[in-house]
Amino acid sequence: MDLTLALVIGVVVVALVFDYTNGFHDAANAIATSVSTRALTPRAALFMAAAMNFIGAHLGTQVAQTVGKGIIDAPDGSHGLVIVASALIGAIVWNLITWYFGLPSSSSHALIGGLVGSALASASVVHWDGVWVKVVIPMILSPLVGFTLAAAIMIAIYWIFRNAQPGKANRGFRYAQTVSAAAMALGHGLQDAQKTMGVIFLALVVGGYAAPTDPIPQWVILSAAGAISLGTYAGGWRIMRTLGRRIIALDPPQGFAAESAAATVLYGAAIGFGAPISTTHTITSAIMGVGSTKRLSAVRWGVAGNIVTGWILTIPAAALVAALSYYALHWMVE
């Protein structure tokens, strides 16, 4: 086995490890609201989320194309594969750090930060226009849209069901949350599994096993879908507590509104623009949005501030770890 093939296999394995950590890190995105309102039991919610993640991963490849082609240009051969591997290490390390502290940070932005950091360390080309248009602008807009849309849905629910009996309405929205949680999990698979597909495809192109114009192979889609589903089923309980209880004590109508708004934003960004937005940012801002319609003090803004600080640090922190990883791997491999 030559060095290039060995590196391609290694990068694919590391990419699937990242995909798995993405799954358990972001499991809370899809099910935290449903579990906290007791619409679903934790294990049933995780099984549903894992299944919907797997299905969602098969619904398109626009985001994968953006990640695989629109962020950096890695050189061909072993040097390019070291760059890709370093990017993945940066993203994995940041995922594990934020999981340990229960911070719902973005696996997507950790991956983008890793790609940029390793590319800069290796003096490779970074498509700053692609980073700006496909990452930075959606990173700013998606939480704002999620917050506003969730607040609007919540206000509409308050108005439509203003005369409903609270107990009966809550029971109805618990059933509705099963659907909205499934939609959220489907959107997570559509967004996040594609990012791993994009990185694996980038490794295949750099290694000479695929052309940039080729479609993403079916085995790449299946393996990415399977890894993120297994990770989701493993669950990320630390982050689930933060999303489900620490930002605001959710009731079933609020959970339904937050999940519906977040899922809508995820589908629009993936299918309409091929933009790799953060499912974490979107659902977290949607939860804040529904909470603010009740009263601003209902949202624990101190917790929200810690989360936003984590968001700001994600790209530079993952970039720094990726750059250090590049220097280490470059010294060992080349």
Side-chain angles (χ1 to χ4, degrees), residues 219-244:
W219 71 265
V220 174
I221 296 173
L222 283 170
S223 59
I228 201 168
S229 297
L230 289 172
T232 300
Y233 191 68
W237 300 106
R238 292 172 184 264
I239 295 171
M240 209 171 297
R241 284 192 290 271
T242 300
L243 279 179

Side-chain angles (χ1 to χ4, degrees), residues 173-200:
F173 275 105
R174 280 197 177 96
Y175 291 121
Q177 266 198 279
T178 304
V179 177
S180 61
M184 182 68 202
L186 194 74
H188 183 257
L190 175 64
Q191 272 281 342
D192 284 41
Q194 285 196 52
K195 294 154 192 169
T196 300
M197 295 176 206
V199 173
I200 293 175

Side-chain angles (χ1 to χ4, degrees), residues 2-9 11 72-86 122 124 199 201-210 326 329-330 333-334:
D2 64 16
L3 178 62
T4 300
L5 178 57
L7 285 172
V8 168
I9 294 171
V11 169
I72 68 169
D73 281 342
D76 292 339
S78 61
H79 188 205
L81 291 165
V82 167
I83 292 169
V84 178
S86 302
S122 63
S124 298
V199 173
F201 184 71
L202 176 61
L204 293 175
V205 171
V206 169
Y209 291 92
Y326 167 76
L329 288 176
H330 180 63
V333 174
E334 301 176 41

